[in-house]
Amino acid sequence: MAKSQKICFVIMGFGKKTDHSTGKTLDLDKTYKNIIQPAVESAGYQCIRADEIQDAGLIDKSMYALLMQAELVVADISTFNPNAIYELGVRHAVKPYSTIVIKEEEGKIPFDLDHTRIFHYKHLGEDIGADESQRCQKELEEKIKIVTNSPLVDSPLYDFIKDINPPELPAAEYKKIIGDLAEKETHIFAIVEKAKDHMLEDEFVEAAKLWRKAAEMVPSEDYFLQQLALSIYKSKEPSEDTALTDALRVIEKLAPDGDSNDPETLGLTGAIYKRMWLSNSDIECLKRAIKYYEKGFQIRKDFYTGENYALCLDMMSKVEEDGNEKTYYLIAAKKARQQIIETLAYVKDAVDDGKCNIEFKWAFATLSNCYYGLGEVENGKKFEKLFLSLVEAKWEEATFQESKKKVIELTRS
C-alpha cells in the first residue's frame, strides 16, 4: 500500500557562507546533501528546502505555509544566516513542537537560542568528512524518530508561556497555495502535493498526469513511479484491463524480470497481477501475484504484502484440484496471518495504551483482515473500527471493504 510521506521543511542558508564569529567559510549545500537530506529521507520524510519552492511572488506564501504545516522542521543556524534565524523564529511562534535546531560545532550561539538543545556537526569548510557524515546521519535520524514518536514542546515561546494555542492554517488556503505552485509546473514538491490531493478525491486520472510529470523531472525517484502505477490502475481508464496493463508497464521499470527487493514495488506488482486474476481468471496472474507478495513479505515482513499473500493463497486453494496442495495453501495462509499479527504486536500494545496514531492506519486494516481470516470476528471488528476512524480518502475505505469481503468469502465457505 502506497504511503503518503510526511513533510520536513529545511531552514538554512544556501551555498558557501562565512561564519563571521570564526572566519570559517562553510559549504552549506554539503551539509544539506551529506547530512540533512539523507537523514530526513531515511526517517521517512519528504525533505524540502526553500530553494526547491522558490519562485517570484510565491516564495513568501509557500514558506509561511510550510513553516506552519510541515510535520517537522530542521533548522541549520550555522553562519547565523538572517533568513534562517527569522524563519526559525516564525516556526517557534506557530508550532510548539517538532523543530530540530542544528549547527556547525564552532562559533557562538545567539543569546536567545543558547538555552535550546542544538545538534552539532563538524564541517571541514569545503566538505564534510565521510565518517562525520555517517555519524551525523545516524544520530540525526535517531533524533528525528524520537521527535516523531514522542513530540515534546521545543519552542521557547510555548515552553515559557503556557496555555496558548498555536495558529492554524486553513486546509483550503494550504491547498490553494500548493495549487498556485503546481500551476507553474516547475516545483516538484508542489506537483507531488497536488497529485496527493487528487488521489484523496479519487481523481486518479489527474493524479497520474502529475505523478508522470514528477517522474520525468526526477527519473531516479522510485516513489514517483510507484505512485504513477497506483494511480493508473486505480483510474480504470480507459478500461480496467487496459489500466492494469499500463500500470504493469510502469512498475516493471522498477522491477525488470521481477528483480526487485523493494517491498513497495513488489506489493504494487502483486496488486496489479491480483486484479488481473480477478478480471480475467488467468491462473498465471494469480501465481505471479503470490510470487511477488511472498517475496515482499519475506524480505522485510511487510504486513501489507503479507496480508495480500495470505489472501492470494486462499484464492489459490479454491481453484486447486489436488487435495494436498489445497491443504498446503490453506495452512500457509493461516501461518502468514499469525506471523503478521505477531509482527504487529507493537501496534496492539500501542492501542492498549490508548494510542491511535495515523501512522498505524494501514496496520489496523491489516490486523482487521488477518483476524477476520482467522475467524476472530471481534478482533476483526475492533481494528476495522480503528482503521475507519483514520480513513482520509474514499478509495482507502473501498480498498479495505473489498479485501474484507473477499477474505470472509474465502475463509467461511
Side-chain angles (χ1 to χ4, degrees):
M1 181 60 59
K3 303 172 183 64
S4 178
Q5 284 184 291
K6 297 176 290 185
I7 297 167
C8 172
F9 187 51
V10 178
I11 297 169
M12 67 184 308
F14 312 126
K16 296 180 180 181
K17 296 289 187 295
T18 299
D19 183 342
H20 294 291
S21 69
T22 65
K24 188 175 182 179
T25 298
L26 309 179
D27 187 340
L28 295 176
D29 288 344
K30 297 291 186 181
T31 304
Y32 180 68
K33 293 176 182 178
N34 294 354
I35 296 177
I36 299 174
Q37 187 177 37
V40 167
E41 292 179 347
S42 182
Y45 285 81
Q46 184 180 359
C47 192
I48 307 298
R49 197 167 70 157
D51 61 341
E52 296 171 334
I53 59 167
Q54 192 165 10
D55 189 89
L58 294 175
I59 179 62
D60 288 341
K61 287 197 298 183
S62 53
M63 179 195 73
Y64 286 122
L66 286 165
L67 287 173
M68 295 182 69
Q69 199 81 355
E71 287 88 345
L72 175 71
V73 161
V74 173
D76 187 347
I77 62 171
S78 303
T79 76
F80 308 123
N81 179 278
N83 288 336
I85 297 293
Y86 174 79
E87 291 164 20
L88 174 58
V90 172
R91 173 68 173 188
H92 278 164
V94 299
K95 201 82 166 181
Y97 49 81
S98 300
T99 302
I100 298 175
V101 181
I102 73 173
K103 182 188 174 298
E104 207 276 336
E105 65 179 15
E106 298 182 20
K108 298 178 180 178
I109 299 175
F111 171 76
D112 288 342
L113 291 173
D114 64 1
H115 57 275
T116 303
R117 291 183 180 178
I118 296 178
F119 178 94
H120 289 96
Y121 63 91
K122 183 177 181 61
H123 204 302
L124 301 177
E126 290 294 320
D127 207 340
I128 300 172
D131 290 344
E132 179 69 352
S133 293
Q134 292 176 7
R135 179 191 72 82
C136 291
Q137 284 179 30
K138 181 179 179 181
E139 293 184 11
L140 182 56
E141 180 184 352
E142 291 174 353
K143 189 172 182 66
I144 290 170
K145 290 179 177 179
I146 291 172
V147 168
T148 298
N149 296 327
S150 303
L152 299 173
V153 172
D154 49 37
S155 161
L157 175 65
Y158 293 91
D159 187 30
F160 293 141
I161 303 177
K162 310 298 182 182
D163 300 322
I164 57 173
N165 297 317
E168 295 184 3
L169 177 66
E173 178 64 12
Y174 182 67
K175 289 182 180 180
K176 181 179 183 301
I177 292 170
I178 297 305
D180 288 343
L181 283 170
E183 291 300 321
K184 298 293 181 180
E185 298 187 348
T186 56
H187 306 280
I188 192 69
F189 162 66
I191 290 171
V192 167
E193 286 296 288
K194 192 73 171 181
K196 292 177 183 176
D197 197 34
H198 281 306
M199 292 180 76
L200 287 174
E201 299 298 326
D202 290 355
E203 297 166 352
F204 294 106
V205 173
E206 292 82 358
K209 292 177 182 177
L210 292 171
W211 287 121
R212 190 180 300 279
K213 182 178 290 294
E216 290 170 352
M217 292 171 66
V218 189
S220 61
E221 180 51 72
D222 293 354
Y223 176 70
F224 298 156
L225 284 175
Q226 291 166 350
Q227 295 302 293
L228 174 59
L230 176 63
S231 296
I232 288 173
Y233 91 66
K234 288 286 187 183
S235 75
K236 299 183 180 180
E237 295 289 343
S239 68
E240 183 172 10
D241 287 344
T242 301
L244 289 169
T245 300
D246 290 345
L248 189 59
R249 288 197 189 101
V250 171
I251 205 67
E252 283 179 341
K253 295 178 182 178
L254 299 177
D257 300 323
D259 184 20
S260 174
N261 289 321
D262 177 21
E264 186 74 10
T265 295
L266 293 167
L268 280 167
T269 309
I272 293 169
Y273 277 119
K274 181 183 72 174
R275 289 178 180 274
M276 285 181 167
W277 151 253
L278 294 172
S279 175
N280 60 25
S281 299
D282 183 348
I283 193 68
E284 183 59 32
C285 290
L286 181 56
K287 289 180 179 178
R288 292 186 184 186
I290 290 174
K291 180 184 75 171
Y292 284 104
Y293 279 138
E294 181 181 20
K295 186 175 181 182
F297 185 46
Q298 289 178 342
I299 287 172
R300 203 172 62 196
K301 294 297 178 286
D302 180 75
F303 59 81
Y304 168 72
T305 53
E307 174 195 346
N308 282 280
Y309 169 57
L311 179 61
C312 287
L313 289 171
D314 285 328
M315 291 180 185
M316 186 62 83
S317 74
K318 296 301 180 184
V319 297
E320 177 59 59
E321 296 180 356
D322 183 274
N324 291 330
E325 289 294 309
K326 185 186 293 286
T327 299
Y328 164 77
Y329 289 129
L330 291 172
I331 293 175
K334 180 179 180 180
K335 288 184 176 179
R337 291 188 173 108
Q338 291 172 334
Q339 191 172 2
I340 291 166
I341 290 172
E342 291 176 6
T343 301
L344 293 176
Y346 70 97
V347 175
K348 295 189 294 178
D349 291 342
V351 171
D352 291 341
D353 291 337
K355 298 177 182 177
C356 185
N357 195 308
I358 188 68
E359 297 300 308
F360 296 153
K361 178 170 63 176
W362 289 108
F364 289 154
T366 293
L367 282 169
S368 176
N369 276 325
C370 283
Y371 278 122
Y372 281 133
L374 293 172
E376 299 182 32
V377 177
E378 290 306 312
N379 277 328
K381 289 180 178 179
K382 172 185 175 180
F383 287 100
E384 177 180 359
K385 183 177 180 180
L386 290 170
F387 167 73
L388 294 177
S389 72
L390 298 173
V391 161
E392 298 170 287
K394 294 178 182 178
W395 71 266
E396 294 177 337
E397 181 175 356
T399 297
F400 170 79
Q401 295 296 349
E402 179 184 353
S403 294
K404 172 188 171 183
K405 180 181 178 182
K406 186 65 66 175
V407 166
I408 291 175
E409 286 177 356
L410 291 168
T411 57
R412 298 295 182 275
S413 59

